[in-house]
Coordinates of all heavy atoms in Angstrom, one line a residue:
M119 N 20.6 14.2 3.8 CA 19.6 13.1 3.8 C 20.3 11.8 4.4 O 21.4 11.5 4.1 CB 19.1 12.8 2.4 CG 18.1 11.7 2.3 SD 17.5 11.6 0.6 CE 15.8 11.2 1.0
N120 N 19.6 11.1 5.2 CA 20.1 9.9 5.8 C 19.8 8.7 4.9 O 18.7 8.3 4.8 CB 19.4 9.8 7.2 CG 19.9 8.6 8.0 OD1 20.7 7.8 7.5 ND2 19.4 8.4 9.2
D121 N 20.8 8.2 4.3 CA 20.7 7.1 3.4 C 20.4 5.7 4.1 O 20.0 4.8 3.4 CB 22.0 6.9 2.6 CG 22.2 8.0 1.6 OD1 22.1 9.2 2.0 OD2 22.4 7.7 0.4
T122 N 20.5 5.7 5.4 CA 20.3 4.4 6.1 C 18.8 4.2 6.4 O 18.4 3.1 6.8 CB 21.0 4.3 7.4 OG1 20.6 5.4 8.3 CG2 22.5 4.4 7.2
H123 N 18.0 5.2 6.2 CA 16.5 5.1 6.5 C 15.8 4.6 5.2 O 15.6 5.4 4.3 CB 16.0 6.5 6.9 CG 14.5 6.4 7.3 ND1 14.1 5.7 8.4 CD2 13.4 6.9 6.7 CE1 12.7 5.8 8.5 NE2 12.3 6.5 7.4
H124 N 15.4 3.4 5.2 CA 14.7 2.8 4.1 C 13.2 2.9 4.4 O 12.7 2.4 5.4 CB 15.1 1.3 3.9 CG 14.4 0.6 2.8 ND1 14.9 0.6 1.6 CD2 13.2 0.0 2.8 CE1 14.0 -0.1 0.8 NE2 13.0 -0.4 1.5
L125 N 12.5 3.6 3.5 CA 11.1 3.8 3.8 C 10.2 2.7 3.1 O 10.6 2.3 2.0 CB 10.7 5.2 3.2 CG 9.4 5.8 3.7 CD1 9.4 6.0 5.2 CD2 9.3 7.2 3.1
R126 N 9.2 2.3 3.7 CA 8.2 1.4 3.2 C 6.9 1.9 3.5 O 6.5 2.2 4.6 CB 8.4 0.0 3.8 CG 7.4 -1.0 3.4 CD 7.7 -2.4 4.0 NE 8.9 -2.9 3.5 CZ 9.7 -3.6 4.2 NH1 9.5 -3.8 5.5 NH2 10.8 -4.1 3.7
H127 N 6.0 2.1 2.4 CA 4.7 2.5 2.6 C 3.8 1.3 2.5 O 4.0 0.4 1.7 CB 4.2 3.5 1.5 CG 5.1 4.7 1.4 ND1 5.0 5.7 2.2 CD2 6.1 5.0 0.6 CE1 5.9 6.7 1.9 NE2 6.6 6.2 0.9
I128 N 2.8 1.2 3.4 CA 1.9 0.1 3.4 C 0.5 0.7 3.3 O 0.0 1.4 4.1 CB 2.0 -0.8 4.7 CG1 3.4 -1.3 4.8 CG2 0.9 -1.9 4.7 CD1 3.7 -2.0 6.1
L129 N -0.2 0.4 2.2 CA -1.5 0.8 1.9 C -2.5 -0.3 2.3 O -2.4 -1.4 1.8 CB -1.7 1.2 0.4 CG -0.7 2.2 -0.1 CD1 -1.0 2.5 -1.6 CD2 -0.6 3.5 0.7
V130 N -3.3 0.0 3.3 CA -4.2 -1.0 3.8 C -5.6 -0.8 3.1 O -6.2 0.3 3.2 CB -4.4 -0.8 5.4 CG1 -5.3 -1.9 5.9 CG2 -3.0 -0.8 6.1
L131 N -6.1 -1.9 2.5 CA -7.3 -1.8 1.7 C -8.3 -2.9 2.1 O -7.9 -3.9 2.7 CB -6.9 -1.9 0.2 CG -6.0 -0.8 -0.2 CD1 -5.0 -1.2 -1.2 CD2 -6.8 0.4 -0.6
P132 N -9.6 -2.6 1.8 CA -10.6 -3.5 2.3 C -10.7 -4.8 1.6 O -11.2 -5.8 2.2 CB -11.9 -2.7 2.1 CG -11.6 -1.7 1.0 CD -10.1 -1.4 1.1
D133 N -10.3 -4.9 0.4 CA -10.4 -6.2 -0.3 C -9.4 -6.3 -1.4 O -8.6 -5.4 -1.7 CB -11.8 -6.4 -0.9 CG -12.2 -5.3 -1.8 OD1 -11.4 -4.9 -2.7 OD2 -13.4 -4.8 -1.6
R134 N -9.3 -7.5 -2.0 CA -8.3 -7.8 -3.0 C -8.5 -7.0 -4.3 O -7.5 -6.5 -4.8 CB -8.3 -9.3 -3.4 CG -7.3 -9.7 -4.4 CD -7.3 -11.1 -4.8 NE -6.2 -11.4 -5.7 CZ -5.2 -12.1 -5.4 NH1 -5.1 -12.7 -4.3 NH2 -4.2 -12.3 -6.3
D135 N -9.7 -6.8 -4.7 CA -9.9 -5.9 -5.9 C -9.4 -4.6 -5.7 O -8.7 -4.0 -6.6 CB -11.5 -5.9 -6.2 CG -12.0 -7.2 -6.7 OD1 -11.2 -8.0 -7.1 OD2 -13.2 -7.3 -6.7
A136 N -9.6 -4.0 -4.6 CA -9.1 -2.6 -4.3 C -7.6 -2.6 -4.3 O -6.9 -1.7 -4.8 CB -9.6 -2.1 -3.0
A137 N -7.0 -3.7 -3.7 CA -5.5 -3.8 -3.6 C -4.9 -3.9 -5.0 O -3.9 -3.2 -5.3 CB -5.1 -5.0 -2.8
E138 N -5.6 -4.7 -5.9 CA -5.1 -4.8 -7.2 C -5.2 -3.5 -8.0 O -4.3 -3.2 -8.8 CB -5.8 -6.0 -8.0 CG -5.4 -7.3 -7.4 CD -6.2 -8.5 -8.0 OE1 -7.2 -8.2 -8.7 OE2 -5.8 -9.6 -7.8
E139 N -6.3 -2.8 -7.8 CA -6.5 -1.5 -8.5 C -5.5 -0.5 -8.1 O -4.9 0.2 -8.9 CB -7.9 -1.0 -8.3 CG -8.9 -1.8 -9.1 CD -10.3 -1.3 -9.0 OE1 -10.5 0.0 -9.0 OE2 -11.3 -2.1 -9.0
V140 N -5.2 -0.5 -6.8 CA -4.2 0.5 -6.2 C -2.8 0.1 -6.7 O -2.1 1.0 -7.1 CB -4.3 0.5 -4.7 CG1 -3.0 1.2 -4.1 CG2 -5.5 1.2 -4.2
A141 N -2.5 -1.2 -6.8 CA -1.2 -1.6 -7.3 C -1.0 -1.1 -8.7 O 0.1 -0.5 -9.1 CB -1.0 -3.1 -7.2
G142 N -2.1 -1.2 -9.5 CA -2.0 -0.7 -10.9 C -1.9 0.8 -11.0 O -1.1 1.4 -11.7
A143 N -2.6 1.5 -10.1 CA -2.6 3.0 -10.1 C -1.2 3.5 -9.6 O -0.7 4.5 -10.1 CB -3.6 3.5 -9.1
L144 N -0.5 2.7 -8.7 CA 0.8 3.1 -8.3 C 1.8 3.2 -9.5 O 2.6 4.1 -9.6 CB 1.3 2.1 -7.2 CG 0.7 2.3 -5.8 CD1 1.0 1.1 -5.0 CD2 1.3 3.6 -5.2
T145 N 1.6 2.2 -10.4 CA 2.5 2.2 -11.5 C 2.2 3.3 -12.5 O 3.1 4.0 -12.9 CB 2.3 0.8 -12.3 OG1 2.6 -0.2 -11.4 CG2 3.3 0.7 -13.5
E146 N 0.9 3.6 -12.7 CA 0.5 4.6 -13.6 C 0.7 6.0 -13.1 O 1.3 6.9 -13.7 CB -1.1 4.5 -13.9 CG -1.4 3.3 -14.7 CD -2.9 3.1 -14.7 OE1 -3.7 4.0 -14.4 OE2 -3.3 1.9 -15.0
R147 N 0.4 6.3 -11.8 CA 0.4 7.6 -11.2 C 1.8 8.0 -10.7 O 2.2 9.1 -10.7 CB -0.6 7.8 -10.1 CG -2.0 7.7 -10.6 CD -2.9 8.1 -9.5 NE -4.3 7.6 -9.7 CZ -5.3 7.7 -8.8 NH1 -5.1 8.4 -7.7 NH2 -6.4 7.2 -9.1
F148 N 2.5 7.0 -10.1 CA 3.7 7.3 -9.4 C 4.9 6.7 -10.1 O 6.1 7.0 -9.7 CB 3.7 6.7 -8.0 CG 2.6 7.3 -7.1 CD1 1.3 6.9 -7.1 CD2 3.0 8.4 -6.2 CE1 0.4 7.5 -6.2 CE2 2.0 9.0 -5.4 CZ 0.7 8.5 -5.4
G149 N 4.7 5.9 -11.1 CA 5.9 5.4 -11.8 C 6.7 4.4 -11.0 O 7.9 4.3 -11.1
V150 N 6.0 3.7 -10.1 CA 6.6 2.7 -9.3 C 7.2 1.6 -10.2 O 6.5 1.0 -10.9 CB 5.6 2.1 -8.3 CG1 6.3 0.9 -7.5 CG2 5.1 3.1 -7.3
A151 N 8.6 1.5 -10.1 CA 9.3 0.6 -11.0 C 9.1 -0.8 -10.5 O 8.8 -1.8 -11.3 CB 10.7 1.0 -11.1
E152 N 9.3 -1.1 -9.2 CA 9.2 -2.4 -8.7 C 7.7 -2.7 -8.3 O 7.1 -1.9 -7.6 CB 10.1 -2.5 -7.4 CG 10.1 -3.9 -6.8 CD 11.1 -3.9 -5.6 OE1 12.0 -3.2 -5.5 OE2 10.7 -4.7 -4.7
E153 N 7.2 -3.8 -8.8 CA 5.8 -4.1 -8.6 C 5.5 -4.2 -7.1 O 6.2 -4.9 -6.4 CB 5.4 -5.4 -9.3 CG 3.9 -5.6 -9.3 CD 3.5 -6.7 -10.3 OE1 4.2 -6.9 -11.3 OE2 2.5 -7.4 -10.0
P154 N 4.5 -3.4 -6.7 CA 4.1 -3.5 -5.3 C 3.7 -4.9 -4.9 O 3.1 -5.7 -5.7 CB 2.9 -2.5 -5.2 CG 3.0 -1.7 -6.4 CD 3.6 -2.5 -7.4
Q155 N 4.0 -5.2 -3.6 CA 3.7 -6.6 -3.1 C 2.3 -6.5 -2.5 O 2.0 -5.6 -1.7 CB 4.7 -6.9 -2.0 CG 4.5 -8.3 -1.4 CD 5.5 -8.5 -0.3 OE1 6.4 -7.7 0.0 NE2 5.4 -9.7 0.3
L156 N 1.4 -7.5 -2.9 CA 0.1 -7.6 -2.3 C 0.1 -8.7 -1.2 O 0.6 -9.8 -1.5 CB -0.9 -7.9 -3.4 CG -1.6 -6.8 -4.1 CD1 -0.5 -6.0 -4.9 CD2 -2.6 -7.3 -5.0
V157 N -0.4 -8.4 -0.1 CA -0.4 -9.3 1.0 C -1.8 -9.4 1.7 O -2.4 -8.3 2.0 CB 0.6 -8.9 2.1 CG1 0.7 -9.9 3.3 CG2 2.0 -8.7 1.5
R158 N -2.3 -10.6 1.9 CA -3.6 -10.7 2.6 C -3.3 -10.7 4.1 O -2.4 -11.4 4.5 CB -4.2 -12.0 2.2 CG -5.6 -12.3 2.9 CD -6.2 -13.6 2.5 NE -7.4 -13.9 3.1 CZ -7.5 -14.5 4.3 NH1 -6.4 -14.9 5.0 NH2 -8.7 -14.7 4.9
D159 N -4.0 -9.9 4.8 CA -3.8 -9.7 6.2 C -5.1 -10.0 7.0 O -6.0 -9.1 7.0 CB -3.4 -8.2 6.5 CG -3.0 -8.0 8.0 OD1 -2.5 -8.9 8.6 OD2 -3.3 -6.9 8.4
A160 N -5.2 -11.2 7.5 CA -6.4 -11.6 8.2 C -6.4 -10.8 9.5 O -5.4 -10.7 10.2 CB -6.4 -13.1 8.5
L161 N -7.6 -10.3 9.9 CA -7.7 -9.5 11.1 C -7.5 -10.5 12.3 O -7.9 -11.6 12.2 CB -9.0 -8.8 11.2 CG -9.3 -7.8 10.1 CD1 -10.7 -7.3 10.2 CD2 -8.3 -6.7 10.1
A162 N -6.9 -10.0 13.3 CA -6.6 -10.8 14.5 C -7.8 -11.6 15.0 O -8.9 -11.0 15.2 CB -6.1 -9.9 15.6
G163 N -7.6 -12.9 15.1 CA -8.7 -13.7 15.6 C -9.8 -14.1 14.6 O -10.8 -14.7 14.9
E164 N -9.6 -13.6 13.4 CA -10.7 -13.9 12.4 C -10.2 -14.9 11.3 O -9.1 -14.7 10.8 CB -11.0 -12.6 11.6 CG -11.7 -11.5 12.5 CD -13.0 -11.9 13.0 OE1 -13.7 -12.7 12.4 OE2 -13.5 -11.4 14.0
D165 N -10.9 -15.9 11.1 CA -10.6 -16.9 10.1 C -11.3 -16.7 8.8 O -11.0 -17.2 7.8 CB -10.9 -18.3 10.6 CG -10.0 -18.7 11.8 OD1 -8.8 -18.3 11.8 OD2 -10.4 -19.5 12.6
D166 N -12.4 -15.9 8.9 CA -13.3 -15.7 7.7 C -12.6 -14.8 6.7 O -12.1 -13.7 7.0 CB -14.6 -15.0 8.2 CG -15.6 -14.9 7.1 OD1 -15.3 -15.2 5.9 OD2 -16.7 -14.6 7.4
A167 N -12.5 -15.3 5.5 CA -11.8 -14.5 4.4 C -12.5 -13.2 4.2 O -11.8 -12.2 3.7 CB -11.8 -15.3 3.1
E168 N -13.7 -13.1 4.5 CA -14.4 -11.8 4.3 C -13.9 -10.7 5.2 O -14.0 -9.5 4.9 CB -15.9 -12.0 4.6 CG -16.6 -12.9 3.6 CD -16.6 -12.4 2.2 OE1 -16.9 -11.2 2.0 OE2 -16.3 -13.1 1.3
D169 N -13.3 -11.1 6.3 CA -12.7 -10.1 7.2 C -11.3 -9.8 7.0 O -10.6 -9.2 7.8 CB -12.9 -10.6 8.7 CG -14.4 -10.7 9.1 OD1 -15.1 -9.8 8.6 OD2 -14.8 -11.6 9.8
A170 N -10.7 -10.2 5.9 CA -9.3 -10.0 5.6 C -9.2 -8.6 5.0 O -10.0 -8.2 4.2 CB -8.8 -11.0 4.7
Q171 N -8.1 -7.9 5.4 CA -7.7 -6.7 4.7 C -6.6 -7.1 3.7 O -5.9 -8.1 3.9 CB -7.1 -5.7 5.7 CG -8.2 -5.2 6.7 CD -7.5 -4.3 7.7 OE1 -6.4 -4.5 8.2 NE2 -8.3 -3.3 8.1
W172 N -6.3 -6.3 2.8 CA -5.2 -6.5 1.8 C -4.2 -5.3 2.0 O -4.6 -4.2 2.1 CB -5.7 -6.6 0.4 CG -6.3 -8.0 0.2 CD1 -7.6 -8.4 0.5 CD2 -5.7 -9.1 -0.4 NE1 -7.8 -9.7 0.2 CE2 -6.6 -10.1 -0.4 CE3 -4.4 -9.3 -1.0 CZ2 -6.3 -11.4 -0.9 CZ3 -4.1 -10.5 -1.5 CH2 -5.0 -11.6 -1.5
L173 N -3.0 -5.7 2.0 CA -1.9 -4.7 2.1 C -1.2 -4.6 0.8 O -0.9 -5.6 0.1 CB -0.9 -5.1 3.2 CG -1.5 -5.5 4.5 CD1 -0.4 -5.9 5.5 CD2 -2.3 -4.3 5.1
V174 N -0.9 -3.4 0.3 CA -0.1 -3.1 -0.8 C 1.2 -2.5 -0.3 O 1.2 -1.4 0.3 CB -0.7 -2.2 -1.8 CG1 0.2 -1.9 -3.0 CG2 -2.1 -2.8 -2.3
V175 N 2.3 -3.2 -0.4 CA 3.6 -2.8 0.2 C 4.4 -2.2 -0.9 O 4.7 -2.8 -1.9 CB 4.3 -4.0 0.8 CG1 5.6 -3.6 1.4 CG2 3.4 -4.7 1.8
V176 N 4.8 -0.9 -0.7 CA 5.6 -0.2 -1.6 C 6.9 0.2 -1.0 O 7.0 0.9 0.0 CB 4.9 1.2 -2.0 CG1 5.7 1.9 -3.1 CG2 3.5 0.9 -2.5
E177 N 8.0 -0.4 -1.6 CA 9.3 -0.1 -1.1 C 9.7 1.3 -1.7 O 9.5 1.6 -2.9 CB 10.3 -1.1 -1.7 CG 10.0 -2.5 -1.2 CD 10.2 -2.7 0.3 OE1 10.9 -2.0 1.0 OE2 9.5 -3.7 0.8
D178 N 10.3 2.1 -0.8 CA 10.6 3.5 -1.2 C 12.0 3.9 -0.7 O 12.1 4.8 0.2 CB 9.5 4.5 -0.7 CG 9.6 5.9 -1.3 OD1 10.4 6.1 -2.2 OD2 8.9 6.7 -0.8
P179 N 13.0 3.2 -1.1 CA 14.4 3.5 -0.6 C 14.9 4.9 -0.8 O 15.7 5.4 0.0 CB 15.2 2.4 -1.3 CG 14.5 2.1 -2.5 CD 13.0 2.2 -2.2
E180 N 14.4 5.6 -1.8 CA 14.8 6.9 -2.1 C 13.9 8.0 -1.5 O 14.1 9.2 -1.7 CB 14.9 7.1 -3.6 CG 15.8 6.1 -4.3 CD 17.2 6.1 -3.9 OE1 17.8 7.2 -3.7 OE2 17.8 5.1 -3.8
A181 N 12.9 7.5 -0.8 CA 11.8 8.4 -0.2 C 11.3 9.3 -1.4 O 11.2 10.5 -1.2 CB 12.4 9.2 0.9
A182 N 11.0 8.7 -2.5 CA 10.6 9.5 -3.7 C 9.1 9.7 -3.8 O 8.7 10.6 -4.6 CB 11.1 8.8 -4.9
Y183 N 8.3 8.9 -3.1 CA 6.9 9.0 -3.3 C 6.3 9.9 -2.3 O 6.6 9.9 -1.1 CB 6.3 7.6 -3.2 CG 6.9 6.6 -4.1 CD1 7.5 5.4 -3.7 CD2 7.0 6.9 -5.5 CE1 8.1 4.6 -4.6 CE2 7.7 6.1 -6.4 CZ 8.2 4.9 -5.9 OH 8.8 4.0 -6.8
D184 N 5.4 10.8 -2.7 CA 4.7 11.8 -1.9 C 3.7 11.1 -1.0 O 2.7 10.5 -1.4 CB 4.0 12.8 -2.8 CG 3.4 13.9 -2.0 OD1 2.6 13.6 -1.1 OD2 3.7 15.1 -2.3
A185 N 3.9 11.2 0.3 CA 3.1 10.5 1.3 C 1.6 11.0 1.2 O 0.7 10.2 1.3 CB 3.6 10.7 2.7
D186 N 1.4 12.3 1.0 CA 0.1 12.8 0.9 C -0.7 12.3 -0.3 O -1.9 11.9 -0.2 CB 0.1 14.4 0.8 CG 0.5 15.0 2.1 OD1 0.4 14.4 3.2 OD2 1.1 16.1 2.1
R187 N 0.0 12.1 -1.4 CA -0.6 11.5 -2.6 C -0.9 10.1 -2.4 O -2.0 9.6 -2.9 CB 0.3 11.7 -3.8 CG 0.3 13.2 -4.3 CD 1.1 13.4 -5.6 NE 0.5 12.6 -6.7 CZ 1.3 12.1 -7.7 NH1 2.6 12.3 -7.7 NH2 0.7 11.4 -8.6
L188 N -0.1 9.4 -1.7 CA -0.3 8.0 -1.4 C -1.5 7.8 -0.4 O -2.4 6.9 -0.6 CB 0.9 7.3 -0.7 CG 2.1 7.0 -1.7 CD1 3.3 6.6 -0.9 CD2 1.7 6.0 -2.8
D189 N -1.6 8.8 0.5 CA -2.8 8.8 1.4 C -4.1 9.0 0.6 O -5.1 8.3 0.8 CB -2.7 10.0 2.4 CG -1.7 9.7 3.5 OD1 -1.4 8.6 3.8 OD2 -1.2 10.7 4.1
E190 N -4.0 9.9 -0.3 CA -5.2 10.2 -1.2 C -5.6 9.0 -2.0 O -6.8 8.7 -2.1 CB -4.9 11.4 -2.1 CG -4.8 12.7 -1.3 CD -4.3 13.8 -2.2 OE1 -4.2 13.7 -3.4 OE2 -4.1 14.9 -1.6
L191 N -4.6 8.3 -2.6 CA -4.9 7.1 -3.4 C -5.5 6.0 -2.5 O -6.5 5.5 -2.9 CB -3.6 6.6 -4.0 CG -3.7 5.3 -4.8 CD1 -4.6 5.4 -6.0 CD2 -2.3 4.8 -5.2
A192 N -5.0 5.8 -1.4 CA -5.6 4.7 -0.5 C -7.0 5.1 -0.1 O -7.9 4.3 -0.1 CB -4.7 4.6 0.7
A193 N -7.2 6.4 0.2 CA -8.5 6.9 0.6 C -9.6 6.7 -0.5 O -10.8 6.4 -0.3 CB -8.5 8.3 1.0
E194 N -9.1 6.8 -1.8 CA -10.1 6.6 -2.9 C -10.7 5.2 -2.9 O -11.7 5.0 -3.4 CB -9.3 6.8 -4.3 CG -9.0 8.2 -4.6 CD -8.2 8.3 -5.9 OE1 -8.4 7.5 -6.8 OE2 -7.3 9.2 -6.0
Y195 N -10.0 4.3 -2.3 CA -10.4 2.9 -2.3 C -10.8 2.5 -0.8 O -10.7 1.3 -0.5 CB -9.3 2.0 -2.8 CG -9.1 2.2 -4.3 CD1 -8.1 3.1 -4.7 CD2 -9.8 1.5 -5.2 CE1 -7.9 3.4 -6.1 CE2 -9.6 1.7 -6.6 CZ -8.7 2.7 -7.0 OH -8.5 2.9 -8.3
E196 N -11.2 3.5 0.0 CA -11.6 3.2 1.4 C -10.5 2.6 2.2 O -10.8 1.7 3.1 CB -12.9 2.4 1.4 CG -14.0 3.1 0.7 CD -15.3 2.3 0.7 OE1 -15.4 1.2 1.3 OE2 -16.2 2.7 0.0
G197 N -9.3 3.0 2.0 CA -8.1 2.5 2.7 C -7.3 3.6 3.3 O -7.8 4.7 3.4
W198 N -6.2 3.2 3.8 CA -5.3 4.2 4.4 C -3.8 3.8 4.3 O -3.6 2.6 3.9 CB -5.6 4.5 5.9 CG -5.4 3.3 6.8 CD1 -4.3 2.9 7.5 CD2 -6.3 2.2 7.1 NE1 -4.4 1.7 8.1 CE2 -5.7 1.3 7.9 CE3 -7.7 2.0 6.7 CZ2 -6.4 0.2 8.4 CZ3 -8.3 0.9 7.2 CH2 -7.7 -0.1 8.0
R199 N -2.9 4.7 4.6 CA -1.5 4.4 4.4 C -0.8 4.4 5.8 O -1.1 5.2 6.7 CB -0.8 5.5 3.6 CG 0.7 5.3 3.4 CD 1.3 6.5 2.7 NE 1.2 7.7 3.5 CZ 2.1 8.0 4.5 NH1 3.1 7.3 4.7 NH2 1.9 9.1 5.2
E200 N 0.1 3.4 5.9 CA 0.9 3.3 7.1 C 2.4 3.4 6.6 O 2.6 3.0 5.5 CB 0.6 2.0 7.9 CG -0.8 2.0 8.5 CD -1.1 0.8 9.3 OE1 -0.2 -0.2 9.3 OE2 -2.2 0.7 9.8
E201 N 3.2 3.8 7.5 CA 4.7 3.9 7.2 C 5.5 3.0 8.0 O 5.2 2.8 9.2 CB 5.1 5.3 7.4 CG 6.2 5.7 6.5 CD 6.4 7.2 6.7 OE1 5.8 8.0 5.9 OE2 7.2 7.6 7.5
E202 N 6.5 2.4 7.5 CA 7.3 1.4 8.3 C 8.7 1.8 8.1 O 9.2 2.2 7.1 CB 7.0 0.0 7.7 CG 7.5 -1.1 8.5 CD 7.0 -2.4 8.0 OE1 7.7 -2.9 7.1 OE2 6.0 -2.8 8.5

């Protein structure tokens, strides 16, 4: 295993409520020790808060979290997962 590859999962969600619920579910379902970071991401060229997406950033230095399960969790809230 390559220890230099630090994995970060970004769950993209439609609104703040969904992001907060997903952050809570990450702790319950995945045992995420470090609280996920919630970030408001305004869509390019949009100033209207209604058009903002919310990102839940999950640090995964040990690559311990199952990407498929994270995909499923994001999908439950009409979102998706990206990897960085």
Side-chain angles (χ1 to χ4, degrees):
M119 180 173 215
N120 182 356
D121 289 50
T122 60
H123 183 68
H124 179 91
L125 198 57
R126 176 179 292 142
H127 303 281
I128 300 172
L129 306 181
V130 183
L131 298 147
D133 55 47
R134 182 182 184 111
D135 289 343
E138 289 175 347
E139 287 184 37
V140 166
L144 284 165
T145 304
E146 293 170 17
R147 295 188 202 178
F148 293 87
V150 173
E152 187 177 325
E153 187 165 332
Q155 180 181 0
L156 273 61
V157 179
R158 181 180 177 272
D159 182 37
L161 300 175
E164 296 291 338
D165 293 327
D166 187 351
E168 294 299 313
D169 292 324
Q171 295 175 321
W172 282 80
L173 309 179
V174 178
V175 181
V176 182
E177 301 295 337
D178 189 9
E180 306 296 321
Y183 307 124
D184 184 304
D186 290 336
R187 287 184 61 213
L188 290 170
D189 286 337
E190 290 169 8
L191 175 61
E194 286 176 34
Y195 294 90
E196 299 178 9
W198 64 91
R199 180 187 63 86
E200 295 180 357
E201 205 171 272
E202 189 173 89

